Amino acid sequence: MAEHTRGIFNIPHLLRPIHYYIVSLTLILIIGSVQISAQSLSAAADLNKDGDMSPLMDTDDNIINAHGAGVLFHNGTYYLFGEIKKGNTWLVPDQVWECYRVPAGGVSCYSSKDLKTWKNEGVALATYPNSPVRELDTGRVLERPKVIYNSKTQKFVMWLHTDDKWYGDSKCGVAVSDSATGPYRFVGSVKPNGQMARDMTLFKDDDGRAYLIYASEKNATMHVCLLSDDYLAPTTRYKRILKNDNREAPAMFKSNGKYFLITSGCTGWSPNAARYAVGRHPLGPWLRYGNPCKGPGAGTTFQAQSTFVLPLDNKKDEFLFMADRWDKLDLESSTYLWIPFTMNKGQFFIRR
Ligand code: GAL
């Protein structure tokens, strides 16, 4: 911004009138567009100090329960979907890692026009004790729900990670609905191309194709898989990316024709340093870069773990980095970190 300003005021003094009008018009257009973009950025930046969304309340004055969340922007409304974490946290016995759990509480949905005021739209995908649909049993794991809209079928499609309490199933589940808020009908679960799938996200490209991105091969290697045209099934077109990097919590977004993928390391509920990669196509090749977070706390992603990157108001260069601040001893008390950032000539930094 500072350089732009300098450039604008480096105008030669002896301008002829026609130049004066052209320069004035350009200035008006530049200042106008800066104001519009600053407004949409501040809509998110004003949400809370330092991006710390604690507490994040809905319009009924209840704490928003939407963890491992994703956002769908559809017809001018933002829909937030997340894991409902409710009840006592317990430790699954005989595990070599801190396998803390709460009952799988299903998927919540909240709607908003401005990312500040959130209306509770109820439970988008419900779970039940002793559910006849195995994946929807409260005794299991349902994580990281993401929803995209299929304009050909006019259906809303949700993918999420479904697992047993030991994370041994390692599958993705898919559910579908005629309306954004649900309720969603569970279609089934799958190991895409026979591969393990744990932490996951969805990415819908401008050409309408959609991709499932998931931590596979015991979390060692991430996979990106093209979905079928109706988004309800994986295709056989998939690529192994970030091989042996042990990354999870993927969040993919696109800027200026390039694809960006933010991930976390694998330290369970404890935060670690994020990293990102840049690709020319969702299926790769992907180039690894370092930590996009800068400043104090960057080494632990500001005590948080990535879950989603939301393009703001569909404005080209502005995004919202969304992350979870897990409280592993009381998962219901986990909170959120939302930090807006701007892409500048292919570079971005996430800082508080
Ligand atoms: C994290 C993962 C979370 C959850 C947790 C432990 O690494 O990102 O979604 O699965 O492990 O269960």
Side-chain angles (χ1 to χ4, degrees), residues 207-279:
D207 61 5
R209 290 182 191 199
Y211 300 83
L212 185 64
I213 300 107
Y214 47 94
S216 193
E217 306 178 28
K218 296 188 178 160
N219 291 351
T221 294
M222 207 151 266
H223 290 189
V224 182
C225 181
L226 175 69
L227 291 178
S228 55
D229 285 350
D230 60 8
Y231 303 165
L232 294 179
T235 67
T236 52
R237 251 192 104 192
Y238 80 97
K239 285 278 186 251
R240 303 171 66 226
I241 67 162
L242 311 182
K243 291 174 197 158
N244 297 317
D245 277 4
N246 293 296
R247 309 303 295 171
E248 58 182 8
M252 191 183 283
F253 61 101
K254 186 178 186 179
S255 173
N256 242 330
K258 284 192 181 155
Y259 301 81
F260 293 79
L261 179 63
I262 299 179
T263 56
S264 78
C266 289
T267 54
W269 301 111
S270 305
N272 53 56
R275 274 191 230 151
Y276 77 103
V278 183

Side-chain angles (χ1 to χ4, degrees), residues 83 97-101 141 143-144 161 167 199 248-249 264-269 305 326:
E83 305 155 22
W97 65 291
E98 293 185 311
C99 189
Y100 287 103
R101 299 248 46 83
V141 168
E143 289 179 339
R144 298 184 177 269
H161 170 201
Y167 288 84
D199 276 14
E248 58 182 8
S264 78
C266 289
T267 54
W269 301 111
Q305 185 186 31
W326 301 118

Side-chain angles (χ1 to χ4, degrees), residues 314-331:
N314 286 344
K315 294 260 174 357
K316 207 167 121 245
D317 296 321
E318 293 159 26
F319 301 86
L320 183 64
F321 173 70
M322 303 173 71
D324 292 287
R325 279 215 168 126
W326 301 118
D327 180 343
K328 66 182 174 195
L329 299 179
D330 182 13
L331 285 163

Side-chain angles (χ1 to χ4, degrees), residues 28-90:
I28 288 165
L29 288 175
I30 289 173
I31 290 168
S33 70
V34 167
Q35 274 176 356
I36 291 163
S37 94
Q39 264 167 19
S40 74
L41 192 59
S42 67
D46 287 353
L47 287 170
N48 222 323
K49 207 171 154 249
D50 288 342
D52 185 346
M53 307 304 292
S54 171
L56 181 58
M57 309 302 286
D58 67 16
T59 48
D60 297 327
D61 228 18
N62 292 318
I63 295 178
I64 288 184
N65 199 332
H67 307 272
V71 176
L72 165 74
F73 184 65
H74 185 74
N75 286 347
T77 300
Y78 295 99
Y79 298 92
L80 173 74
F81 298 89
E83 305 155 22
I84 301 173
K85 294 218 175 294
K86 206 155 185 52
N88 287 338
T89 298
W90 59 289

Side-chain angles (χ1 to χ4, degrees), residues 75-300:
N75 286 347
T77 300
Y78 295 99
Y79 298 92
L80 173 74
F81 298 89
E83 305 155 22
I84 301 173
K85 294 218 175 294
K86 206 155 185 52
N88 287 338
T89 298
W90 59 289
L91 187 60
V92 179
D94 305 324
Q95 297 298 295
V96 289
W97 65 291
E98 293 185 311
C99 189
Y100 287 103
R101 299 248 46 83
V102 279
V107 178
S108 57
C109 177
Y110 298 83
S111 66
S112 174
K113 294 275 181 198
D114 58 6
L115 296 171
K116 291 186 203 171
T117 313
W118 291 99
K119 177 173 179 264
N120 187 352
E121 299 285 358
V123 177
L125 182 68
T127 49
Y128 310 90
N130 308 313
S131 164
V133 179
R134 186 167 161 267
E135 291 87 343
L136 300 182
D137 195 293
T138 47
R140 288 175 48 98
V141 168
L142 271 189
E143 289 179 339
R144 298 184 177 269
K146 305 288 177 281
V147 173
I148 48 178
Y149 177 66
N150 189 307
S151 40
K152 283 186 201 148
T153 61
Q154 303 191 349
K155 304 270 186 213
F156 296 85
V157 181
M158 175 189 292
W159 282 83
L160 73 180
H161 170 201
T162 162
D163 229 315
D164 57 41
K165 59 176 182 268
W166 306 278
Y167 288 84
D169 253 10
S170 311
K171 285 172 137 187
C172 285
V174 59
V176 69
S177 173
D178 290 329
S179 84
T181 54
Y184 284 73
R185 179 178 60 83
F186 193 74
V187 178
S189 66
V190 65
K191 276 190 168 170
N193 297 291
Q195 301 292 321
M196 292 172 78
R198 289 188 181 142
D199 276 14
M200 50 129 290
T201 194
L202 283 179
F203 176 75
K204 181 179 163 183
D205 209 344
D206 305 326
D207 61 5
R209 290 182 191 199
Y211 300 83
L212 185 64
I213 300 107
Y214 47 94
S216 193
E217 306 178 28
K218 296 188 178 160
N219 291 351
T221 294
M222 207 151 266
H223 290 189
V224 182
C225 181
L226 175 69
L227 291 178
S228 55
D229 285 350
D230 60 8
Y231 303 165
L232 294 179
T235 67
T236 52
R237 251 192 104 192
Y238 80 97
K239 285 278 186 251
R240 303 171 66 226
I241 67 162
L242 311 182
K243 291 174 197 158
N244 297 317
D245 277 4
N246 293 296
R247 309 303 295 171
E248 58 182 8
M252 191 183 283
F253 61 101
K254 186 178 186 179
S255 173
N256 242 330
K258 284 192 181 155
Y259 301 81
F260 293 79
L261 179 63
I262 299 179
T263 56
S264 78
C266 289
T267 54
W269 301 111
S270 305
N272 53 56
R275 274 191 230 151
Y276 77 103
V278 183
R280 277 188 275 126
H281 188 276
L283 294 169
W286 286 89
L287 281 180
R288 298 162 165 94
Y289 286 79
N291 188 350
C293 301
K294 302 290 169 210
T300 60

